[in-house]
Amino acid sequence: MAQWEATRAAALARAEAFAPKMGAAYAARRNYDIGLDADTVSALSPWVRRRLISERELIETAMAGHGSDAAKFVSEVLWRGYFKGWLEQRPEIWERYVAGLGAAREAVARDRELAQRLAAAVEGRTGIDCFDAWIVELRAQGWLHNHARMWFASIWIFTLRLPWQLGADLFLRELVDGDAASNTLSWRWVAGLHTRGKHYLARAENIRRYTEGRFDPHGLDEDAESLAFDGDAPLTPPAPGDAMPTGRYALVIHADDSGFDALDLAPPARVIGVTAHGLDGASAAARGFAEGAVADAAARAGAIYGCPVELVADWPAPGDLPLVAPWLTVGPLRDSLPDGYPLAQLRNPYDAALWPLATAGFFKVKSRAAGALAPLGVVIPEL
């Protein structure tokens, strides 16, 4: 699966292929990183990230095939909504990350020793077998198993003593499923910044066990303290979606959420696909998948609504038609939107149900998700 086909058809095919393993098999094997083709996890994240397939569809597929045995799979799907909603209500955390990334780059520019350690890490020359292999895999596949991402981030922060923002930036640029919320908050969680004082330490025995002996790392710091907490951020309830304009309009499909089909839309006069990724320096794989997702969704929308389709590289100049789009979440693509740009953004009903629950830890989302999703007709097991 080194080549990721950025189409809804590919997403549906992958979901169908993995559906038999969304129950007990997933719960038993999801932590094992024994290769991308081993099917211990669904590897659907690139398609879900761009919403070529939705979280709701994955939950419904898992429940249809496994019922309550799908609880662990459903819980992991809900984590994505939790992270999205958490960051959406605390945009300052994203702003801190961007500022911290700039400061880290400046530190590298003036500190030769730090620059050398960073180069060894990103070039896979650390001498830590698993870490060096994951760098190669990240660049070759544009993807890493979630457990490997945690180990990688922990080694980066606590063993290699590199700024976490530089590692998060590396992931965001290389991963075909790179997502501002999941990526930023996962790195903060590993560092002990998301849940204050609770950090994640990569341990050699854990890596040996869950890679089934693929790696035997040495030299890991297994006793490091969490990073110093950087303070709470103000909580701002998520803004409601914008009002749908009356009359003719243009539907704008973008890489942050191409899931126009989850919205209750009247047929647009035309469809505009914005292929901008919002992140300078993104890898060819990440950029290509984002652009492909937009092109696929725009073509499907044009066919469904029977209207002309146009693909553009950046936000189109406002014209005679109001512009309507799925909601832009906190992150680089939203940052690229010009101030005052006249774009009506519509909230996906799934997000509208879950995001308000993401005010603290994941437990609140997990424990209340069934009630929140029930009005949408989504049934989930007790979690």
Side-chain angles (χ1 to χ4, degrees), residues 32 50 69 83 109 169 186 195 216 227-228 246 264 303 310:
Y32 284 85
R50 305 299 171 187
D69 284 345
F83 275 151
D169 176 67
S186 292
T195 302
D216 183 22
L227 298 189
T246 58
D264 185 16
E310 177 186 9

Side-chain angles (χ1 to χ4, degrees), residues 145-209:
H145 187 289
N146 187 62
H147 210 165
R149 298 184 197 200
M150 293 166 58
W151 290 321
F152 183 104
S154 181
I155 293 169
W156 180 284
I157 295 167
F158 299 116
T159 296
L160 303 179
R161 304 289 178 179
L162 294 169
W164 73 267
Q165 296 93 338
L166 294 175
D169 176 67
L170 173 69
F171 270 17
L172 197 57
R173 292 170 189 278
E174 293 287 343
L175 291 167
V176 289
D177 62 6
D179 171 75
S182 294
N183 188 61
T184 305
L185 299 184
S186 292
W187 274 83
R188 285 178 59 86
W189 183 83
V190 169
L193 303 176
H194 184 70
T195 302
R196 185 172 184 171
K198 183 178 181 180
H199 60 312
Y200 178 81
L201 287 173
R203 302 188 184 280
E205 177 54 35
N206 187 263
I207 293 171
R208 283 192 291 269
R209 174 186 176 188

Side-chain angles (χ1 to χ4, degrees), residues 7 59 80 135 140 166 185 188 259 266 287 301 304 309 343 346 358 377:
T7 65
I59 290 171
R80 178 175 295 271
I135 278 286
L166 294 175
L185 299 184
R188 285 178 59 86
R287 186 173 61 253
I304 290 170
V309 175
L343 183 67
L346 307 182

Side-chain angles (χ1 to χ4, degrees), residues 57-323:
E57 289 175 300
L58 292 184
I59 290 171
E60 290 174 341
T61 297
M63 290 299 297
H66 302 279
S68 60
D69 284 345
K72 179 52 70 174
F73 184 86
V74 170
S75 180
E76 292 304 305
V77 172
L78 291 176
W79 266 98
R80 178 175 295 271
Y82 164 66
F83 275 151
K84 285 282 196 183
W86 197 97
L87 191 61
E88 197 69 15
Q89 296 179 85
R90 297 172 180 83
E92 181 183 305
I93 293 296
W94 172 254
E95 295 166 4
R96 289 186 200 172
Y97 159 70
V98 172
L101 177 59
R105 287 172 172 165
E106 291 175 1
V108 170
R110 64 176 181 265
D111 186 334
R112 183 178 179 183
E113 191 270 338
L114 175 60
Q116 290 173 338
R117 286 192 287 115
L118 176 64
V122 299
E123 294 168 10
R125 296 186 286 103
T126 68
I128 301 171
D129 61 355
C130 54
F131 187 93
D132 293 345
W134 289 327
I135 278 286
V136 173
E137 185 176 346
L138 175 64
R139 294 224 163 91
Q141 304 278 9
W143 190 87
L144 286 176
H145 187 289
N146 187 62
H147 210 165
R149 298 184 197 200
M150 293 166 58
W151 290 321
F152 183 104
S154 181
I155 293 169
W156 180 284
I157 295 167
F158 299 116
T159 296
L160 303 179
R161 304 289 178 179
L162 294 169
W164 73 267
Q165 296 93 338
L166 294 175
D169 176 67
L170 173 69
F171 270 17
L172 197 57
R173 292 170 189 278
E174 293 287 343
L175 291 167
V176 289
D177 62 6
D179 171 75
S182 294
N183 188 61
T184 305
L185 299 184
S186 292
W187 274 83
R188 285 178 59 86
W189 183 83
V190 169
L193 303 176
H194 184 70
T195 302
R196 185 172 184 171
K198 183 178 181 180
H199 60 312
Y200 178 81
L201 287 173
R203 302 188 184 280
E205 177 54 35
N206 187 263
I207 293 171
R208 283 192 291 269
R209 174 186 176 188
Y210 285 105
T211 62
E212 295 189 340
R214 289 171 64 206
F215 303 115
D216 183 22
H218 296 276
L220 304 187
D221 188 340
E222 301 187 9
D223 299 305
E225 298 291 331
S226 65
L227 298 189
F229 187 59
D230 56 357
D232 294 317
L235 177 68
T236 304
D242 295 323
M244 182 73 186
T246 58
R248 288 163 50 84
Y249 73 98
L251 174 62
V252 176
I253 293 177
H254 53 75
D256 198 41
D257 181 353
S258 69
F260 70 91
D261 37 2
L263 307 174
D264 185 16
L265 296 173
R270 63 176 175 150
V271 173
I272 304 172
V274 178
T275 59
H277 186 270
L279 191 68
D280 292 337
S283 70
R287 186 173 61 253
F289 193 91
E291 293 173 354
V294 169
D296 179 75
R300 287 186 290 109
I304 290 170
Y305 298 122
C307 63
V309 175
E310 177 186 9
L311 294 180
V312 297
D314 207 346
W315 301 107
D320 56 338
L321 293 175
L323 302 176

Side-chain angles (χ1 to χ4, degrees), residues 51 88 237-242 257 262-264 325-329 334 344-353 355-356:
R51 277 213 165 125
E88 197 69 15
D242 295 323
D257 181 353
L263 307 174
D264 185 16
W327 190 264
L328 281 157
T329 50
R334 180 194 279 187
Q345 299 180 48
L346 307 182
R347 181 72 49 76
N348 185 302
Y350 177 90
D351 297 337
W355 287 1

